[in-house]
């Protein structure tokens, strides 16, 4: 009996020692950063994740424009009603930039529960910039001011086209989500979800 008691005591001591060692040596729970730090780092990453798309369009303006594309009809009708016997052709090049407006992103767009975080992305932002060095006006009777107005209308038409292109917007969203998920995982979160709405009262 004495030997059995001794063996049990040794086993109990070993078990306690193993438990103490496990408690002392187990990985510490990740220390998650505060919301302000997360927001700032997400803004920095998002600035690098703008989707850039090169665009071009051949625009023709004549006395009786026949536009089949509703987005560009305004460009052609403007030339028809503004000029006497307007004529000419233009090949317009532009760059479209699609990204999320992270200037409007703050802690109210995040909800962390333990190591899980829900993210409500801000609105998509679309910007279009013409490339005047590559844009070519051909056989035109427009003066410089009229040309500038026509090009601005073309830029707005490009912008409307891009805003209605769900394929491009989805591509920009996926790119941003990949980059932001990677950032949040490196900050210590284990699960990142992009949601359309946050639970009422859960923001922050």
């Amino acid at each position: 009996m004495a030997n059995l008691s001794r063996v049990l005591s040794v086993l109990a001591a070993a078990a306690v020692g193993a438990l103490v060692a496990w408690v002392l040596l187990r990985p510490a729970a990740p220390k998650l950063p505060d919301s302000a730090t997360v927001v700032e780092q997400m803004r920095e990453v998002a600035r690098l994740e703008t989707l850039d798309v090169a665009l071009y369009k051949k625009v023709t303006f004549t006395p009786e424009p026949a536009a089949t594309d509703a987005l560009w009809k305004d460009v052609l009708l403007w030339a028809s009603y503004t000029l006497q016997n307007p004529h000419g052709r233009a090949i317009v090049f532009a760059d479209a930039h699609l990204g999320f407006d992270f200037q409007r992103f703050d802690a109210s767009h995040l909800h962390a529960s333990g190591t899980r975080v829900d993210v409500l992305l801000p609105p998509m932002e679309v910007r279009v910039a013409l490339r005047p060095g590559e844009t070519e006006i051909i056989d035109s009777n427009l003066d410089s001011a009229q040309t500038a107005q026509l090009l601005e209308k073309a830029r707005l038409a490009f912008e409307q086209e891009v805003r209605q292109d769900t394929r491009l917007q989805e591509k920009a969203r996926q790119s941003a989500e990949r980059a932001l998920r990677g950032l949040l995982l490196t900050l210590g979160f284990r699960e990142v979800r992009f949601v359309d709405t946050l639970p009422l009262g859960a923001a922050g």
Side-chain angles (χ1 to χ4, degrees):
M1 271 314 265
N3 288 336
L4 179 59
S5 297
R6 226 181 279 110
V7 170
L8 291 175
S9 297
V10 170
L11 290 176
V16 171
L19 177 62
V20 171
W22 179 80
V23 169
L24 294 176
L25 298 177
R26 67 176 175 172
K31 184 173 173 23
L32 299 174
D34 59 77
S35 295
T37 300
V38 173
V39 167
E40 187 56 36
Q41 293 195 40
M42 290 180 71
R43 284 177 176 171
E44 289 298 324
V45 168
R47 289 190 189 104
L48 302 177
E49 285 304 316
T50 300
L51 178 65
D52 296 323
V53 181
L55 307 168
Y56 76 93
K57 189 86 171 181
K58 184 176 181 180
V59 182
T60 301
F61 38 97
T62 61
E64 295 181 3
T68 57
D69 187 339
L71 294 176
W72 292 91
K73 191 172 184 179
D74 182 52
V75 175
L76 304 184
L77 290 178
W78 174 85
S80 176
Y81 294 126
T82 302
L83 305 173
Q84 293 297 321
N85 187 29
H87 63 274
R89 298 188 308 276
I91 302 176
V92 184
F93 291 83
D95 291 312
H97 310 278
L98 294 87
F100 290 95
D101 184 7
F102 267 75
Q103 292 304 312
R104 298 168 60 180
F105 185 84
D106 56 27
S108 68
H109 291 77
L110 293 172
H111 173 58
S113 177
T115 57
R116 188 186 77 196
V117 61
D118 292 341
V119 181
L120 177 63
L121 291 173
M124 178 77 69
E125 186 176 51
V126 175
R127 292 181 295 107
V128 172
L130 298 181
R131 288 189 274 171
E134 298 181 37
T135 295
E136 186 176 1
I137 305 293
I138 308 169
D139 186 29
S140 170
N141 64 354
L142 299 172
D143 63 26
S144 59
Q146 292 164 337
T147 298
Q149 291 178 53
L150 178 63
L151 292 178
E152 175 59 15
K153 287 184 176 293
R155 187 191 68 79
L156 293 174
F158 272 131
E159 188 173 290
Q160 188 175 355
E161 277 189 341
V162 173
R163 288 185 186 281
Q164 294 182 356
D165 192 325
T166 56
R167 181 185 60 83
L168 281 179
Q169 293 188 27
E170 182 60 24
K171 186 176 180 181
R173 183 182 183 91
Q174 290 177 0
S175 177
E177 286 185 1
R178 278 195 303 270
L180 294 173
R181 179 177 283 106
L183 168 67
L184 291 168
L185 291 175
T186 63
L187 292 178
F189 294 100
R190 303 284 176 80
E191 182 182 358
V192 180
R193 304 191 308 181
F194 294 93
V195 298
D196 293 327
T197 57
L198 292 175
L200 187 63

